[in-house]
Structures are given as C-alpha cells and as structure tokens.
C-alpha cells in the first residue's frame, strides 16, 4: 500500500535550472506540522555596469557561476547544520544556481522554517551571510566591456563577523 507521507526534498541543490519559489516553500512547509514561520530569500542577478543600470537599458550582461561539485554541497550542508542548531530550525532549503545567468535571473533561494518568526528570520540571514562569503562558488561578470572575476567584498565579510565562526572553523574562510 503506498504511503501518503510527504517525501522530504533535499536540503541543498546546486543546479543550472531555475526554481519556483512557491513550489519550494510549499514542499518545505508540508514536511512538518509544527512549522509556524517560513522566511525566504531570493537573490537575483543585478546590473553591475552603472551606465546601463542608470539608463534602464536592456543589457547583454551575464553572471557566470562555477562551483566545486561535492565540496560546495558539503560546505552548505555544514552551514545548514549550524543554522539549525543555533536557531532551532525545523526545515531548510537552499538552491544555488550555476552557469551563465542574465540580469534579472534568480541565483539563490534560501528558505528557513521554524516554530516562530524570529528564529526563521535569523536563520535565513545567518545562512545568506555564510553563503555569500564562505560557499565555494566563483563568479565572473561578462559584458560587452569584457570579463572579470568578482573579488571578495569587505562589506559581506563584515556582515559575517556578527555570527562568529562555525564550529571547527570554516574550511574555505577568506580571513
């Protein structure tokens, strides 16, 4: 006899394909009747060339994302484990896209679920700060003006300091 239980989705996906926020939130919510709050964050590709952004023109600019398969997923899983421990999260879903993404495309989804909103908000913010600075992804900006690898951002590194280190340290910390 088939089971009517919901099969949990994986906590981490690194993929080329786009994602549907509503589908991911509904799947996470369906896994636990004790969830009282869900917080989601969607990061998108923004125009980085000021003249193009200011003019509101359609740009052929792209962001190319690369990762280290296996290592990236393991690093994100460790971040999720720590967020779950710190904020009593009942569920987490992280999707990060790779490949060439045009301006406006979704890059990352983080959904956190908990019994209460404060924990869900803090857990989501914690995960985004850690993902932004510590997950092994490499970004290259591509435009008609050329290509360049994106360097670490001091503002993002500063945001990370409020959380303290992950237990055992971060294997790919930049500091």
């Amino acid at each position: 006899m088939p089971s009517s239980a919901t099969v949990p989705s994986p906590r981490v996906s690194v993929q080329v394909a786009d994602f549907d926020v509503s589908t991911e939130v509904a799947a996470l919510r369906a896994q636990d009747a004790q969830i009282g709050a869900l917080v989601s964050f969607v990061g998108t590709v923004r125009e980085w060339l000021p003249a193009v952004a200011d003019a509101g023109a359609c740009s052929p600019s792209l962001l190319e994302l690369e990762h280290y398969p296996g290592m990236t997923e393991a690093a994100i899983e460790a971040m999720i484990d720590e967020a779950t421990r710190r904020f009593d999260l009942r569920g987490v879903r992280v999707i990060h896209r790779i490949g060439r993404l045009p301006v406006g495309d979704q890059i990352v989804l983080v959904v956190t679920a908990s019994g209460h909103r404060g924990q869900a908000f803090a857990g989501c913010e914690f995960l985004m700060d850690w993902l932004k600075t510590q997950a092994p992804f490499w970004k290259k900006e591509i435009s008609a003006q050329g290509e360049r690898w994106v360097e670490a951002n001091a503002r993002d590194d500063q945001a990370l300091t409020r959380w303290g280190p992950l237990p055992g340290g971060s294997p790919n910390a930049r500091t």
Side-chain angles (χ1 to χ4, degrees):
M1 178 175 203
S3 170
S4 61
T6 303
V7 177
S9 61
R11 296 191 314 175
V12 176
S13 295
V14 177
Q15 61 193 47
V16 173
D18 199 1
F19 50 84
D20 179 72
V21 177
S22 297
T23 299
E24 297 300 334
V25 167
L28 188 60
R29 186 173 175 208
Q31 293 177 22
D32 186 342
Q34 295 299 309
I35 292 172
L38 287 144
V39 171
S40 64
F41 173 86
V42 177
T44 60
V45 179
R46 68 179 178 276
E47 181 56 65
W48 59 88
L49 297 172
V52 175
D54 292 344
C58 184
S59 170
S61 301
L62 300 169
L63 185 64
E64 184 172 22
L65 291 107
E66 298 178 5
H67 79 300
Y68 192 108
M71 181 181 176
T72 302
E73 293 84 350
I76 296 170
E77 285 284 354
M79 293 171 198
I80 291 172
D81 288 344
E82 183 61 14
T84 299
R85 185 189 70 75
R86 288 187 188 199
F87 305 106
D88 195 27
L89 299 178
R90 301 195 64 87
V92 175
R93 180 75 166 120
V94 174
I95 300 174
H96 206 298
R97 294 183 63 202
I98 55 172
R100 287 188 168 204
L101 305 174
V103 170
D105 266 21
Q106 300 180 127
I107 302 171
V108 63
L109 171 68
V110 175
V111 183
T112 55
S114 67
H116 303 281
R117 71 179 183 268
Q119 295 161 313
F121 275 109
C124 190
E125 198 167 11
F126 170 90
L127 283 167
M128 273 313 306
D129 285 347
W130 276 93
L131 283 168
K132 185 79 173 162
T133 59
Q134 302 301 307
F137 289 100
W138 296 270
K139 298 177 185 178
K140 185 190 316 180
E141 294 173 342
I142 303 168
S143 70
Q145 286 77 20
E147 300 180 356
R148 76 172 189 96
W149 289 102
V150 177
E151 298 292 326
N153 181 317
R155 187 176 57 243
D156 292 333
D157 288 336
Q158 181 60 38
L160 183 65
T161 63
R162 69 185 165 143
W163 304 110
L166 288 178
S170 177
N172 52 328
R174 294 190 301 231
T175 57

